[in-house]
């Protein structure tokens, strides 16, 4: 029901608001429209709005109907008045969100051709080029924004799906570890113990006819038992190596950690210098573990390089990843992970830096004191060869095209106003004035190119560019008729405020961007009225202040709407991903704990039963007690089989977290 209301609420509000605005504008301009023209415009608006109610079910059909109705409404009204509701823009956005990119851009092309033909028939050849360019910019931007929304929805669905897959793998990590340990135990020792039992039993049965077999069996049992004992002790030592044993060399632990993350879908390459140990080992292991966890969360499927080496008195840790093969599970981190790694490095007498890599990945580099005593200068990061994944050329081109389109959309209206004013004024130094006026219109567009990475800086640049108009119009460098060019810069203000809402971070204070923008724009317009008043206008400071306040209040509400739209897109884009991040982190932590517990359990079982009995068997074999060898070998083999049976007997997995399944209670 709620979705149904939302679907029809937009067309109803658009139709009601546009009909009211249409009548108000016609009355203000004192245009002479007949009742038939009023009726045609209103009817076209109502029909187009009604068709928009079906934009989600049949977007292409809706676009065709809306375009036809809009064109008929334009042809039925006077060229000097406001036509029917331009509902084709909303319908085109729905097509871009719900259809493939090829269909979207075909629709954009058809709309541009249709609207250009209509403009030629209504306004004539003079405005054909301007109309075609304006339609190209508007429809291309709408198609791009809708396509971006479609891809964002697909990315969120893929993020949840991948989070579920990783959670399932992490949940089953203990079972996977049990099966791997069972294979290792079987390969290392089970067949050795079996061969001892078989050979010793055969020698016992044939002792009357072939007494020499007893000696051979005892020798074989002692030799094979020692090999088995050595292999098992080595395996137990590896299993018992945990985070609590900080003095142990971390090479094996890091390699095992890398294999665990490979089972979760990462591509990890490890290069570890085995010649370091000491109290810094715990810090190194913790930094590597947190870094690998971050790559799983932010760049799933990415190629990761772990490089740990000693350079003098320092241990240098580098964990570097490229872009993920899939989209990130979450949008951004809270910063606690990097802060924790920094604290680990500082506690070990070192430093840590983390940030974007050269080609869009992520790089963590830490230097930790390896030994006590005076330390040599920290090694330079240049000694580490850079990790360079293939650059995402397609993504960069697409981003460049969208940024350029938005910048042009902000530049074209003020540039058109400047050129129109120049055509009316015809100043003597036309070339210089034209160049300067067009330069002022370009500055906000150039500032908008950085709206993703520096949204607040972009807003400041747009506001500052607006103040250049009164500065240059005051001494007469630019004519007063350029005030329309300064007025149309409001489009750049709207784009900058929207960018702050979308890219300005999680802070709720980003709404101040609308206030700053409205105030800066109002001051600029009031200053223009003071320094370069048009004929018939007061031009004093009091009137300028009044106009500044009036303009600022007039644009504040639309700018707040732009900010709210940016925040809404931000919330929609990242909805649910923070919960998925927390759930995924819990799953990974639980998986690591389960694997550690399982390894400790296996190590204890080996130590308490198999190792003890194998040691006794070796002693009995060396003492020449064949019966005792058979008894202890069978007992060790039975204990090994019980341990293997417990490893193969995995329990059923627990249900997934509601955050990862998309269901809530």
């Amino acid at each position: 029901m709620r979705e149904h209301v939302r679907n029809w609420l937009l067309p109803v509000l658009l139709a009601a608001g546009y009909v009211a605005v249409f009548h108000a504008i016609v009355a203000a301009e004192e245009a002479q429209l007949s009742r038939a023209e009023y009726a045609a415009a209103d009817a076209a608006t109502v029909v187009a709005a009604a068709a928009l109610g079906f934009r989600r079910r049949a977007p292409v059909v809706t676009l065709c109907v809306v375009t036809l109705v809009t064109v008929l409404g334009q042809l039925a009204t006077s060229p000097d008045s406001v036509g029917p509701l331009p509902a084709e823009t909303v319908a085109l956005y729905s097509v871009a969100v719900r259809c493939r990119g090829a269909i979207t851009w075909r629709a954009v092309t058809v709309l541009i051709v249709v609207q250009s033909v209509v403009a030629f028939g209504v306004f004539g050849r003079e405005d054909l080029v301007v109309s075609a360019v304006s339609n190209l910019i508007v429809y291309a931007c709408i198609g791009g924004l809708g396509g971006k929304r479609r891809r964002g929805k697909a990315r969120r669905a893929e993020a949840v799906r991948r989070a579920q897959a990783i959670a399932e793998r992490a949940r089953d990590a203990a079972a996977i570890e049990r099966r791997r340990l069972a294979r290792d135990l079987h390969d290392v020792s089970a067949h050795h113990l079996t061969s001892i039992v078989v050979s010793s039993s055969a020698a016992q049965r044939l002792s009357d006819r072939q007494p020499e077999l007893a000696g051979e069996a005892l020798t074989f049992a002692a030799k094979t038992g020692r090999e088995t004992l050595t292999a098992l002790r080595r395996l137990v030592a590896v299993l018992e190596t945990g985070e609590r044993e900080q003095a142990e060399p971390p090479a094996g632990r890091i390699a095992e950690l890398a294999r665990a993350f490979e089972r979760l879908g990462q591509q990890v390459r490890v290069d570890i210098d085995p010649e370091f140990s000491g109290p810094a080992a715990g810090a190194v292991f913790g930094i590597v573990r947190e870094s690998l966890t971050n790559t799983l969360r932010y760049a799933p499927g990415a190629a990761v390089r772990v490089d740990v080496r000693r350079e003098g008195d320092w241990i240098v840790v580098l964990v570097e990843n490229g872009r993920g093969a899939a989209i990130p599970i979450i949008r951004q981190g809270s910063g606690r992970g990097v802060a924790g790694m920094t604290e680990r490095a500082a506690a070990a007498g070192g430093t840590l830096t983390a940030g974007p890599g050269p080609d869009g990945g992520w790089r963590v580099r830490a230097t930790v004191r390896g030994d006590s005593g005076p330390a040599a200068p920290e090694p330079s990061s240049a000694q580490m060869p850079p990790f360079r994944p293939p650059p995402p050329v397609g993504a960069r081109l697409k981003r460049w095209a969208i940024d350029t389109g938005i910048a042009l959309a902000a530049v074209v209206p003020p540039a058109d106003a400047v050129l129109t004013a120049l055509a009316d004024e015809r100043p003597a130094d036309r070339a210089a004035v034209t160049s300067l006026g067009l330069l002022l219109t370009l500055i906000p567009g150039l500032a908008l190119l950085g709206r993703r990475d520096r949204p607040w800086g972009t807003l400041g640049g747009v506001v500052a560019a607006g103040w250049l108009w009164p500065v240059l119009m005051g001494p007469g460098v630019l004519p007063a008729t350029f005030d329309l060019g300064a007025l149309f810069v409001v489009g750049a203000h709207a784009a900058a405020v929207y960018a702050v809402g979308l890219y300005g971070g999680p802070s709720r204070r980003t709404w101040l961007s609308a206030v700053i923008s409205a105030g800066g724009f109002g001051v600029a317009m009031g200053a223009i009225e003071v320094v370069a008043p048009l004929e018939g206008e007061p031009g004093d400071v009091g009137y300028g202040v009044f106009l500044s306040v009036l303009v600022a209040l007039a644009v504040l509400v639309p700018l707040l709407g732009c900010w709210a739209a940016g925040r809404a897109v931000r919330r929609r884009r990242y909805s649910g991903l923070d919960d998925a991040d927390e759930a995924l982190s819990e799953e990974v932590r639980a998986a690591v704990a389960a694997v550690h517990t399982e390894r400790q359990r296996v190590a204890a079982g080996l130590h308490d039963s198999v190792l003890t009995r194998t040691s006794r068997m070796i002693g009995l074999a060396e003492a020449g007690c064949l019966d005792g060898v058979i008894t202890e070998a069978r007992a060790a083999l039975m204990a090994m089989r019980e341990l293997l049976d417990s490893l193969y007997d995995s329990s059923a997995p627990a249900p997934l977290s509601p955050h990862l399944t998309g269901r809530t209670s």
Side-chain angles (χ1 to χ4, degrees), residues 475-490:
V477 177
L478 295 178
T481 52
F482 275 20
D483 57 350
L484 281 181
L487 178 64
F488 287 148
V489 176
V490 70

Side-chain angles (χ1 to χ4, degrees), residues 204-218:
Q204 187 183 48
R205 288 196 304 271
L206 300 174
S207 59
D208 295 337
R209 289 177 291 176
Q210 294 178 290
E212 69 277 5
L213 291 179
E216 295 177 0
L218 291 172

Side-chain angles (χ1 to χ4, degrees), residues 324-346:
I327 53 91
I329 300 299
I330 64 170
R331 61 179 175 89
Q332 61 183 11
S334 62
R336 293 189 296 269
V338 174
M341 290 190 292
T342 303
E343 291 173 0
R344 282 181 180 270

Side-chain angles (χ1 to χ4, degrees), residues 197-563:
V197 172
V198 170
S199 62
S200 299
S201 299
Q204 187 183 48
R205 288 196 304 271
L206 300 174
S207 59
D208 295 337
R209 289 177 291 176
Q210 294 178 290
E212 69 277 5
L213 291 179
E216 295 177 0
L218 291 172
T219 302
F220 176 78
K223 177 178 179 297
T224 306
R226 282 191 291 269
E227 293 175 354
T228 303
L229 189 63
T230 300
L232 287 177
R233 283 175 174 170
R234 186 182 300 114
L235 180 60
V236 169
V238 173
L239 293 175
E240 289 181 342
T241 300
E243 186 178 1
R244 290 170 297 181
E245 299 177 5
Q246 303 293 342
E248 292 290 331
R253 295 159 61 201
I254 293 176
E256 180 62 30
L257 184 68
R259 286 193 292 271
F261 277 90
E262 286 177 349
R263 290 193 292 271
L264 294 176
Q266 296 300 90
Q267 308 171 44
V268 185
R269 180 167 65 87
V270 179
D271 184 9
I272 303 178
D273 183 352
E275 299 297 330
F276 77 92
S277 60
V284 171
F285 182 80
I287 290 170
V288 173
R289 182 182 59 188
E290 180 66 26
S291 299
L292 289 176
T293 302
N294 286 339
T295 65
L296 178 65
R297 296 160 64 193
Y298 301 114
V304 187
R305 183 182 69 168
V306 178
D307 196 334
V308 183
R309 66 181 62 180
R310 172 180 285 281
E311 295 185 8
D313 293 331
W314 295 94
I315 299 170
V316 181
V317 182
L318 178 68
V319 182
E320 200 166 19
N321 64 272
R323 288 180 178 267
I327 53 91
I329 300 299
I330 64 170
R331 61 179 175 89
Q332 61 183 11
S334 62
R336 293 189 296 269
V338 174
M341 290 190 292
T342 303
E343 291 173 0
R344 282 181 180 270
T351 59
L352 182 139
T353 58
D359 295 305
W362 191 260
R363 176 182 176 130
V364 175
R365 184 179 186 274
T367 55
V368 179
R369 287 284 300 276
D371 297 314
S372 59
E378 288 194 31
S380 170
S381 60
Q383 296 173 326
M384 289 289 187
F387 180 84
R388 299 186 181 276
V393 178
R396 291 184 180 181
L397 288 176
K398 186 180 297 183
R399 174 173 173 172
W400 177 86
I402 294 175
D403 291 347
T404 303
I406 293 176
L408 287 176
V411 167
V412 168
D416 182 66
V418 167
L419 293 177
T420 302
L422 283 171
D424 296 337
E425 286 287 324
R426 298 185 181 278
D429 52 347
R430 181 183 179 87
V433 174
T434 301
S435 300
L436 188 56
L438 292 179
L439 177 62
L440 288 184
T441 64
L442 286 175
I443 293 175
L446 294 175
L448 287 174
L449 293 177
R451 73 190 193 286
R452 300 173 188 263
D453 303 321
R454 298 174 297 277
W456 284 102
T458 296
L459 178 67
V462 170
V463 172
W467 291 337
L468 292 176
W469 293 86
V471 171
L472 294 176
M473 293 168 67
V477 177
L478 295 178
T481 52
F482 275 20
D483 57 350
L484 281 181
L487 178 64
F488 287 148
V489 176
V490 70
H493 282 262
V497 171
Y498 177 86
V500 173
L502 179 55
Y503 304 112
S507 173
R508 296 181 179 179
R509 296 182 180 179
T510 52
W511 63 269
L512 289 173
S513 60
V515 178
I516 295 172
S517 179
F521 183 74
V523 169
M525 298 307 298
I528 291 176
E529 175 59 31
V530 173
V531 300
L534 294 176
E535 185 177 353
E537 295 181 352
D540 55 19
V541 176
Y543 183 74
V545 172
F546 169 76
L547 185 63
S548 297
V549 175
L550 184 64
V551 171
L553 293 176
V555 300
L556 178 59
V557 174
L559 290 177
L560 284 173
C562 293
W563 169 82

Side-chain angles (χ1 to χ4, degrees), residues 147-204:
K148 186 175 182 181
R149 167 68 173 150
R150 182 185 71 252
R151 292 187 295 273
K153 292 172 66 176
R155 284 196 299 269
R156 287 195 300 276
E158 175 63 17
V160 174
R161 186 201 65 78
R162 185 167 179 83
Q164 291 175 357
I166 292 177
E168 290 174 356
R169 293 179 184 178
R171 182 189 57 189
D172 297 336
I176 295 173
E177 184 67 11
R178 282 194 293 267
R179 290 191 291 269
R180 190 189 69 81
L181 290 174
R183 290 193 301 269
D184 291 346
L185 290 176
H186 188 276
D187 295 340
V188 168
S189 60
H191 69 282
H192 288 176
L193 293 174
T194 302
S195 63
I196 293 173
V197 172
V198 170
S199 62
S200 299
S201 299
Q204 187 183 48

Side-chain angles (χ1 to χ4, degrees), residues 10-80:
L10 176 63
V12 170
L13 292 178
L14 284 177
Y18 194 81
V19 168
V21 170
F22 171 76
H23 286 270
I25 292 178
V26 171
E29 294 182 351
E30 299 181 355
Q32 300 298 322
L33 293 183
S34 64
R35 292 184 178 179
E37 289 179 315
Y38 271 116
D42 291 346
T45 297
V46 172
V47 173
L52 287 179
F54 301 92
R55 67 191 184 279
R56 300 188 179 187
R57 255 185 247 171
V60 176
V61 175
T62 299
L63 177 62
C64 294
V65 173
V66 166
T67 302
L68 177 62
V69 171
T70 303
V71 168
L72 293 177
Q74 290 174 341
L75 295 176
T77 55
S78 171
D80 298 329

